[in-house]
Amino acid sequence: MIRAHAQVVRAAMLFKLAGQRDIVLDPSLSPPISTGDYGIGLEQLSTMVRDNKISALDDYGGVKGLEDKLSTNLETGVSGEVDDIVKRKNSFGSNTYPTKKGKGFWSFLWESWQDLTLIILIIAAVVSLALGIKTEGLKEGWYDGGSIVFAVLLVIFVTAISDYRQSLQFKNLNAEKRNIQLEVIRGGRREKISIFDIVVGDVVPLKIGDQVPADGVFISGHSLAIDESSMTGESKIVHKDKKSPFLLAGCKVADGFGNMLITGVGINTEWGLLMASISEDTGEETPLQVRLNGVATFIGIVGLSVAVAVLVILVLRYFTGHTKGPDGKVQFVGGKTSFSEAVDGVIEIFTIAVRRLSACETMGSATTICSDKTGTLTLNQMTVVEAYAGKKKLNPPNDASQMKELSTLVIEGVAVNTTGSVFVPKEGGNVEVSGSPTEKAILSWGVEMGMKFDAVRSEAIILHVCPFNSEKKRGGVALQLSNSDVHIHWKGAAEMVLSSCTQFFDENGSVKPIKNEMSFFKGIIDDMAAKSLRCVALAYRPYDRNDVPNTNEEELEQWTLPEDDLILVAIVGIKDPCRPGVDEAVRLCTAAGVKVRMVTGDNIQTAKAIATECGILPPGADATEPIVIEGRAFRALSEKEQEEVAKKITVMGRSSPNDKLLLVRALRKGGDVVAVTGDGTNDAPALNEADIGLSMGISGTEVAKESSDIIILDDNFSSVVKVVRWGRSVYANIQKFIQFQLTVNVAALIINVVAAVSSGSIPLNAVQLLWVNLIMDTLGALALATEPPTNQLMRRAPVGRREPLVTNVMWRNLIVQALYQVAILLAFNFGSSNFSLLKEGNLEHQNKLKNTLIFNAFVLCQLFNEFNARKPDELNVFKGITSNHLFMGIIGVTLVLQIVIIEFLGKFTTTVRLNWKLWLLSVAIGLFSWPLAVIGKFIPVPKTPLSKILRKPFQRFRTARNA
């Protein structure tokens, strides 16, 4: 379906282009047409790869023929000159594709007003506006309806602006994610460029985990296997060689390595067409979004139910003659009140009953982090600091003269058994070494010993390569020298390679049995590992040319390199220093109740030493199994045993990607919220399995990045801790907002319901409630959501997977504040006749003055309650307040707007001006909520969640009924 869709899009584009210029739609029917300075056309290249036409490739002279037609070089690539790159982009296009235009501001505006309650309010406002103008005239009648419309529009615009800004931020992040950095060979030099800068004719090296950056043809390689599921939909690994040479953009390298020649870029590839026609946004909700929506739905159902009940009661009171106006007169008298007046009364009741509630989004936090070592806890800047040739320790480690005749064999193994490269500028200058950090370290060691990389490789014919495998922890190569001798070189984890060795070279270059010296070499490895060094061993064996399969490529590809009877050549210790600040980051995690576990493929002794250096394993701590365990020991346990042991593991050494996956599963079954860091292709299952998958932005493969939830751009463990810190901050801020929102809802609901049922009128009208809604949902959310992370957050225990979003502490704070607001404001509502400050003017003015005081005091209570919501479980709610300028700004703006509404916009909100004494009283009512909140925090709360406490009677009832 994916391929068919791409073909349809492509056909449509070609049909459109055919009307603008001459295009050969079927290049197989005509000979290649040159494109300017090139001997082959864009469509010929695209069709050849797209339709998998090997016959067409043969007609063009194979890969060598394409080399000539595209004016490139299969060894050194294109020249890299700016003019040449521009010319290629003009002829064959750039490696970009038109992305779907993001939603504009007007789209967000359209979505914002489609809230059902807002639509109801707008309809009610329009009807009220029409009836108000009809009954009171244009000059006075538009106030109520117009005010509601204005308030609704304000909420809509604020929501749309906020969503639009978020979409722009997401667009920028998405662009950063797509900007993959990869290696190309230009002018004989390997250099890193953006995937968008790839051009037709480029030679691109591929290795495990890479994404194929554009369409192309296989040049050379070994065991190159491609996962084409992203294009074909079939999870089948396809091996690439000269018989199956075509590579499709967007696919992933599953195994091996090789070089490819780029033949199609951007929109001229199926991947480019797909990317141009699909959107990345799946619209899926996170688990916490689901929980928040559940809370919001519950609040909405309760609010709507109460609103309907109030509506019914008020309508019944109205039509039974129990509703009186501000002047004390009955509003509906049967047979006397006109139909128009009755409709006006019902509309007013309807606007009183409606309220709007909304939800928000957040994320939780982890209880354990399973971290890689290399590049995450360490700097990933490796250098060889120790070396042994046979039993002789080299001092310094790069002194080849100490190895005598053995140096030739060491340099041969280093130069040929590698996926890296060494570039020596013709004009002079520093030698450039490329490859993985480990490869770069060993190649640099070889260069320091005098290795001539290109010369050594040119003297040998590579027969077969067994790429480095994370399961076997080693890689090998078979090569034929100019004298027809065959050498097999292996390189990998020292103890793994050592176990396959039966002999070793002594310092004179003589071969000796290793059996009696095995303990010596194991001691070397343990000694290096204790110094936090990565131990790599080089081994070799001669091989009879007659035992090598025929030079037939297919037979060679199936050949399994012998990995027994090896001769140990050298052992090197590679230092990768810990990142600065890692120990502090680990300490913060530990204090926060987040267990940091190190999972690495390194030797168990190296893993233990690095873990101690990073603070994961405290000095002098128990370092026996299962606290420190090897991957093979863990995988040998039963599923139940793995679950029991997983909780105790601090360091796992010599682990395979599958061991990491088993550990994550075991921890999650035990109730942990697991974060996992990974950078390799084989880490993808563990990243998928984890609650939070964190891939490395620098060293991570594209497969790992696509399988993760978060990409750590600097590969730093301290950044992983920041994710936990910000995750807790967001979670805590959402809880603050929910506490604040529920307090406002409960207080407003009770005040209006009690007043409506008892007297038929409400102190807070529709426009006032909309203003409170704006404070609560928009300004309040913005103020509380911008609270920066504090150190206090990292001293709390992690939020459990099954813990309720609204905690007992929140319920306590909410109930204390809501009871205070309800009590004081209802006292003013029903006892206003006892307050001399409210006995001013006629009965209608007194009623408006009372309602204005209640409205003003209610808003000021919410303003001061925002301060209380900042620190739900701390006594000092003003701590750090001056550092949050946005919070203070929003409080100030809200207060100024409230003054403007009361003093200057009374016609719109049905309020009257207050004298300084009533203003002082309103402030005092609001201000008292602060000491009340402090006192309330001394009230003890049960540890059992309220939901469970309330559920117990029902469970007992069910048990008794069943009995």
Side-chain angles (χ1 to χ4, degrees):
M1 289 176 67
I2 293 171
R3 291 175 68 86
H5 176 70
Q7 296 299 332
V8 170
V9 174
R10 185 175 185 81
M13 290 189 66
L14 289 176
F15 184 77
K16 179 182 176 183
L17 289 169
Q20 301 171 357
R21 60 178 179 173
D22 293 328
I23 259 186
V24 180
L25 293 178
D26 189 358
S28 63
L29 300 178
S30 59
I33 298 173
S34 65
T35 304
D37 298 314
Y38 303 102
I40 190 168
L42 169 65
E43 277 306 309
Q44 283 73 40
L45 290 170
S46 298
T47 307
M48 176 184 69
V49 176
R50 183 181 70 240
D51 297 337
N52 202 24
K53 289 187 175 179
I54 296 178
S55 59
L57 178 61
D58 292 339
D59 290 343
Y60 302 148
V63 183
K64 290 295 291 181
L66 290 180
E67 175 186 36
D68 295 334
K69 294 179 187 299
L70 293 174
S71 303
T72 185
N73 185 294
L74 298 181
E75 296 293 330
T76 60
V78 300
S79 67
E81 298 293 332
V82 175
D83 292 343
D84 181 48
I85 300 299
V86 170
K87 186 169 66 175
R88 290 175 186 277
K89 286 185 177 180
N90 290 337
S91 298
F92 301 105
S94 62
N95 200 31
T96 57
Y97 45 84
T99 55
K100 274 196 169 183
K101 189 178 179 182
K103 288 192 295 186
F105 174 71
W106 297 108
S107 299
F108 285 102
L109 200 66
W110 171 259
E111 290 176 1
S112 298
W113 82 270
Q114 293 185 51
D115 181 274
L116 179 61
T117 310
L118 285 180
I119 293 172
I120 294 171
L121 273 177
I122 291 171
I123 294 170
V126 170
V127 175
S128 180
L129 188 66
L131 292 174
I133 293 172
K134 170 180 162 291
T135 55
E136 300 179 40
L138 180 61
K139 189 176 181 181
E140 301 287 337
W142 71 275
Y143 290 149
D144 282 353
S147 299
I148 295 173
V149 170
F150 174 76
V152 169
L153 289 177
L154 188 60
V155 171
I156 289 172
F157 270 93
V158 169
T159 303
I161 291 168
S162 176
D163 290 345
Y164 180 60
R165 287 184 62 204
Q166 288 179 35
S167 76
L168 292 179
Q169 290 172 343
F170 174 77
K171 187 177 179 181
N172 292 335
L173 283 172
N174 205 33
E176 181 68 25
K177 189 189 83 170
R178 286 176 173 169
N179 187 19
I180 299 167
Q181 299 295 309
L182 49 81
E183 280 190 339
V184 298
I185 300 174
R186 288 182 176 175
R189 173 191 284 129
R190 286 199 187 196
E191 55 184 74
K192 278 208 167 187
I193 64 170
S194 166
I195 191 172
F196 303 130
D197 295 331
I198 292 285
V199 294
V200 169
D202 263 328
V203 174
V204 178
L206 298 174
K207 59 183 183 300
I208 296 176
D210 284 351
Q211 175 178 308
V212 179
D215 283 358
V217 181
F218 174 84
I219 299 173
S220 63
H222 295 278
S223 307
L224 185 63
I226 305 294
D227 179 2
E228 294 186 347
S229 58
S230 59
M231 291 305 300
T232 64
E234 299 176 12
S235 56
K236 184 180 177 183
I237 304 300
V238 181
H239 290 273
K240 295 297 176 180
D241 49 31
K242 291 178 181 177
K243 291 186 177 180
S244 177
F246 300 116
L247 296 114
L248 299 175
C251 298
K252 304 293 187 299
V253 181
D255 199 5
F257 61 89
N259 289 351
M260 71 176 290
L261 174 65
I262 302 297
T263 59
V265 293
I267 202 70
N268 299 305
T269 67
E270 289 187 29
W271 180 257
L273 290 170
L274 283 175
M275 290 297 101
S277 61
I278 63 174
S279 170
E280 294 232 353
D281 185 12
T282 61
E284 293 182 7
E285 290 185 331
T286 62
L288 194 49
Q289 279 179 308
V290 174
R291 291 171 69 190
L292 283 167
N293 287 339
V295 172
T297 302
F298 172 75
I299 294 171
I301 291 171
V302 172
L304 193 59
S305 301
V306 173
V308 170
V310 170
L311 179 64
V312 171
I313 292 168
L314 292 180
V315 169
L316 288 175
R317 286 182 62 90
Y318 179 79
F319 285 110
T320 54
H322 288 84
T323 302
K324 297 179 180 180
D327 55 0
K329 292 182 180 180
V330 175
Q331 290 187 335
F332 180 84
V333 180
K336 293 183 179 180
T337 304
S338 67
F339 176 77
S340 177
E341 290 173 332
V343 170
D344 287 353
V346 172
I347 290 292
E348 184 181 353
I349 291 169
F350 181 73
T351 58
I352 286 169
V354 177
R355 291 281 286 116
R356 176 179 177 267
L357 299 165
S358 64
C360 47
E361 44 187 286
T362 189
M363 63 179 289
S365 55
T367 57
T368 185
I369 299 172
C370 296
S371 175
D372 273 347
K373 177 185 76 69
T374 306
T376 308
L377 297 170
T378 61
L379 286 169
N380 210 10
Q381 296 171 1
M382 300 188 184
T383 52
V384 173
V385 295
E386 275 194 33
Y388 279 81
K391 294 178 66 176
K392 182 177 178 60
K393 184 176 182 179
L394 306 183
N395 190 15
N398 58 2
D399 186 359
S401 63
Q402 297 179 47
M403 288 191 280
K404 300 180 182 176
E405 293 84 3
L406 194 58
S407 62
T408 304
L409 200 57
V410 170
I411 287 173
E412 180 184 282
V414 170
V416 180
N417 189 17
T418 182
T419 55
S421 68
V422 177
F423 176 76
V424 182
K426 291 179 181 177
E427 63 277 9
N430 294 329
V431 173
E432 297 174 15
V433 179
S434 62
S436 70
T438 306
E439 294 282 12
K440 285 169 71 175
I442 294 175
L443 284 172
S444 298
W445 178 60
V447 169
E448 290 168 3
M449 290 191 296
M451 175 182 71
K452 304 297 181 186
F453 183 77
D454 291 331
V456 174
R457 290 178 70 91
S458 65
E459 291 171 2
I461 299 171
I462 295 177
L463 301 174
H464 185 56
V465 174
C466 178
F468 179 84
N469 185 293
S470 58
E471 292 285 345
K472 296 196 299 181
K473 307 288 184 191
R474 55 186 162 187
V477 61
L479 56 99
Q480 182 177 323
L481 301 178
S482 54
N483 61 3
S484 296
D485 286 350
V486 174
H487 289 178
I488 295 175
H489 287 274
W490 284 95
K491 178 179 69 184
E495 72 271 26
M496 298 286 192
V497 174
L498 183 64
S499 65
S500 298
C501 293
T502 56
Q503 301 174 87
F504 74 98
F505 283 105
D506 67 10
E507 58 190 67
N508 298 315
S510 303
V511 177
K512 300 287 182 67
I514 203 171
K515 187 175 181 181
N516 296 331
E517 303 295 342
M518 190 63 80
S519 58
F520 173 80
F521 290 112
K522 286 182 178 178
I524 290 173
I525 294 169
D526 290 342
D527 183 56
M528 287 184 179
K531 299 174 189 173
S532 307
L533 303 183
R534 170 174 283 187
C535 307
V536 176
L538 307 177
Y540 128 102
R541 65 170 287 179
Y543 202 69
D544 191 335
R545 181 69 187 84
N546 296 323
D547 292 336
V548 178
N550 295 330
T551 48
N552 180 295
E553 190 175 312
E554 191 171 329
E555 289 186 23
L556 275 174
E557 197 66 35
Q558 300 300 321
W559 183 34
T560 302
L561 279 186
E563 46 188 303
D564 57 346
D565 292 332
L566 301 183
I567 304 172
L568 182 66
V569 176
I571 299 175
V572 296
I574 302 173
K575 181 67 176 176
D576 186 12
C578 280
R579 283 184 179 273
V582 160
D583 53 345
E584 177 62 17
V586 170
R587 190 191 61 76
L588 275 174
C589 280
T590 305
V594 179
K595 173 78 172 177
V596 180
R597 295 174 165 87
M598 189 173 84
V599 184
T600 178
D602 270 351
N603 178 299
I604 194 73
Q605 300 299 328
T606 305
K608 197 190 300 183
I610 290 285
T612 304
E613 196 175 336
C614 293
I616 294 173
L617 201 62
D622 183 10
T624 58
E625 198 173 300
I627 295 170
V628 177
I629 193 171
E630 281 199 344
R632 61 184 177 186
F634 181 72
R635 89 175 74 106
L637 301 173
S638 67
E639 198 172 310
K640 188 176 181 182
E641 288 171 330
Q642 285 177 355
E643 197 173 325
E644 292 172 359
V645 168
K647 290 272 186 187
K648 303 173 185 176
I649 292 174
T650 300
V651 176
M652 183 184 284
R654 282 292 176 240
S655 69
S656 68
N658 191 53
D659 297 332
K660 186 186 280 190
L661 176 62
L662 292 174
L663 177 62
V664 172
R665 282 179 179 165
L667 289 169
R668 292 192 74 208
K669 281 181 183 177
D672 276 303
V673 179
V674 185
V676 169
T677 70
D679 55 8
T681 302
N682 292 327
D683 288 326
L687 290 169
N688 271 319
E689 182 71 24
D691 296 282
I692 308 163
L694 304 118
S695 65
M696 301 298 108
I698 298 172
S699 62
T701 64
E702 292 309 309
V703 176
K705 290 176 187 176
E706 287 194 5
S707 301
S708 64
D709 305 298
I710 297 170
I711 298 174
I712 306 299
L713 294 177
D714 61 359
D715 287 17
N716 196 336
F717 185 77
S718 296
S719 297
V720 177
V721 177
K722 284 179 186 175
V723 174
V724 176
R725 189 186 181 96
W726 276 98
R728 289 191 175 193
S729 177
V730 173
Y731 193 94
N733 287 348
I734 288 300
Q735 287 186 312
K736 294 170 189 176
F737 172 66
I738 289 175
Q739 177 185 307
F740 174 67
Q741 186 187 46
L742 287 175
T743 305
V744 180
N745 284 336
V746 169
L749 212 58
I750 293 175
I751 290 168
N752 268 7
V753 168
V754 172
V757 171
S758 59
S759 63
S761 63
I762 60 167
L764 301 172
N765 63 37
V767 178
Q768 293 167 355
L769 285 175
L770 279 170
W771 169 236
V772 172
N773 181 79
L774 184 64
I775 296 172
M776 177 186 72
D777 273 2
T778 309
L779 297 178
L782 189 60
L784 292 170
T786 54
E787 280 289 314
T790 62
N791 291 331
Q792 182 66 25
L793 287 170
M794 296 303 282
R795 297 190 193 106
R796 295 179 182 175
V799 177
R801 188 185 293 277
R802 300 175 184 88
E803 287 186 31
L805 193 60
V806 183
T807 64
N808 287 359
V809 169
M810 292 166 66
W811 281 119
R812 177 197 63 194
N813 298 344
L814 184 159
I815 291 168
V816 168
Q817 285 296 315
L819 285 178
Y820 164 68
Q821 293 178 22
V822 168
I824 194 76
L825 298 179
L826 284 181
F828 278 108
N829 186 65
F830 295 114
S832 59
S833 58
N834 299 322
F835 293 94
S836 57
L837 290 174
L838 297 175
K839 292 181 179 179
E840 186 182 294
N842 57 28
L843 188 62
E844 182 177 355
H845 182 76
Q846 289 178 14
N847 190 52
K848 282 187 176 181
L849 194 63
K850 174 202 71 175
N851 288 344
T852 301
L853 175 64
I854 291 173
F855 168 58
N856 198 39
F858 184 70
V859 169
L860 292 177
C861 278
Q862 309 324 316
L863 277 184
F864 284 102
N865 193 32
E866 279 192 62
F867 287 93
N868 297 330
R870 285 184 69 244
K871 307 284 183 182
D873 51 0
E874 293 182 43
L875 295 178
N876 185 4
V877 298
F878 299 106
K879 185 179 179 181
I881 192 71
T882 54
S883 62
N884 192 343
H885 303 298
L886 185 59
F887 182 91
M888 296 302 294
I890 289 171
I891 293 292
V893 168
T894 307
L895 183 59
V896 169
L897 288 175
Q898 180 66 14
I899 294 170
V900 171
I901 284 172
I902 297 296
E903 297 300 316
F904 304 105
L905 300 176
K907 289 184 178 180
F908 299 98
T909 55
T910 323
T911 57
V912 294
R913 289 188 171 185
L914 299 177
N915 60 40
W916 69 271
K917 292 180 181 178
L918 290 176
W919 266 106
L920 195 61
L921 180 60
S922 300
V923 172
I925 292 169
L927 187 60
F928 186 70
S929 66
W930 168 61
L932 189 69
V934 174
I935 294 168
K937 285 171 184 175
F938 286 99
I939 300 173
V941 294
K943 291 184 178 180
T944 307
L946 187 62
S947 56
K948 288 187 179 179
I949 295 173
L950 296 175
R951 207 181 295 137
K952 278 185 179 178
F954 295 100
Q955 289 174 339
R956 287 172 186 159
F957 172 75
R958 286 197 197 98
T959 305
R961 183 187 64 185
N962 294 337

